C-alpha cells in the first residue's frame, strides 16, 4: 500500500493498493491541521481537540461518534492512541529515517509508514502481525498519514 499526493497543488492524498485508490484523505490547515478521509466503508474526521492540548480526535462522519483520541502532549514525535474499542497503540516516529510506526503497548509493530521527501508527498504503508486484525484499521491509516503530513 502507498499514500500518494496525486497533484503537487492541493492537499488531497490517495491510499493506493495495486494501483487502485482504496481511500482518500484531505488535509486542511497549516498549524494544527484537520483531515477528512473516506475509504474502507466509512468516512472519518481527524481534528485537533483544543488549542495546545496535544490531543487529536477521530470522529465517524455519519454518527458523529468519537472512535479514537490521539494524545501527543508528551512528545512532538510520538503519542498514544486510545480507540473506542479499548485498544491502545503507541506511535513512534523518526524524521531523519523517514519512518513512523504504530505499535502495541508491548512494542509489537502493527502499522509502519516509510515516507519520502521533505514535504512528504508519499509513503509506503506496511500492515504487520496483529495490525491486520484491527477493525479500526481504515481510520488508523488515515490518522497516521494525517499526523505524518501535519504534525510529525
Amino acid at each position: 500500500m502507498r499514500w500518494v499526493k496525486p497533484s503537487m497543488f492541493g492537499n488531497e492524498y490517495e491510499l493506493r493498493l495495486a494501483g487502485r485508490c482504496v481511500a482518500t484523505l484531505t488535509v486542511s490547515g497549516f498549524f494544527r491541521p484537520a483531515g477528512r478521509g473516506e475509504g474502507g466503508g466509512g468516512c472519518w474526521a481527524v481534528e485537533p481537540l483544543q488549542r495546545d492540548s496535544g490531543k487529536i480526535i477521530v470522529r465517524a462522519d455519519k454518527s458523529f461518534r468519537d472512535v479514537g483520541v490521539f494524545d501527543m502532549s508528551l512528545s512532538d514525535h510520538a503519542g498514544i492512541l486510545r480507540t473506542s474499542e479499548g485498544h491502545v497503540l503507541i506511535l513512534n516516529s523518526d524524521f531523519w529515517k523517514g519512518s513512523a510506526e504504530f505499535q502495541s503497548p508491548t512494542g509489537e509493530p502493527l502499522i509502519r509508514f516509510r515516507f519520502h521527501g521533505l514535504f512528504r508527498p508519499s509513503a509506503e504503508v506496511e500492515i504487520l502481525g496483529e495490525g491486520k486484525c484491527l477493525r479500526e484499521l481504515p481510520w488508523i491509516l488515515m490518522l497516521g498519514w494525517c499526523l505524518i503530513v501535519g504534525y510529525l
Side-chain angles (χ1 to χ4, degrees):
M1 259 190 283
R2 182 176 178 86
W3 277 109
V4 298
K5 187 173 186 177
S7 169
M8 287 305 291
F9 306 104
N11 53 358
E12 294 162 357
Y13 298 88
E14 294 179 351
L15 182 60
R16 298 194 155 270
L17 176 63
R20 192 174 61 102
C21 178
V22 294
T24 59
L25 176 68
T26 302
V27 179
S28 58
F30 190 69
F31 297 105
R32 301 178 48 80
R36 180 171 226 79
E38 187 173 339
C43 302
W44 296 273
V46 177
E47 304 167 345
L49 193 56
Q50 295 172 343
R51 186 169 176 81
D52 300 326
S53 75
K55 292 188 179 175
I56 298 163
I57 194 147
V58 181
R59 186 169 286 132
D61 252 5
K62 293 183 181 171
S63 67
F64 298 104
R65 185 174 70 93
D66 296 347
V67 294
V69 176
F70 183 78
D71 186 351
M72 61 186 299
S73 61
L74 300 175
S75 169
D76 289 341
H77 304 289
I80 299 170
L81 172 63
R82 289 180 172 79
T83 73
S84 61
E85 301 265 328
H87 293 107
V88 175
L89 285 78
I90 315 291
L91 178 71
N92 288 308
S93 70
D94 188 325
F95 176 82
W96 300 111
K97 291 183 180 177
S99 67
E101 187 173 85
F102 279 106
Q103 301 173 347
S104 71
T106 61
E108 176 191 0
L110 302 172
I111 304 166
R112 184 175 295 141
F113 298 86
R114 294 184 196 274
F115 44 88
H116 313 284
L118 181 61
F119 297 108
R120 302 176 183 159
S122 67
E124 278 89 35
V125 181
E126 223 179 325
I127 302 167
L128 308 157
E130 293 297 314
K132 296 173 185 172
C133 301
L134 291 170
R135 288 181 45 190
E136 307 95 337
L137 186 61
W139 66 259
I140 292 175
L141 291 170
M142 293 176 198
L143 169 66
W145 188 238
C146 190
L147 289 168
I148 290 167
V149 170
Y151 290 88
L152 303 176

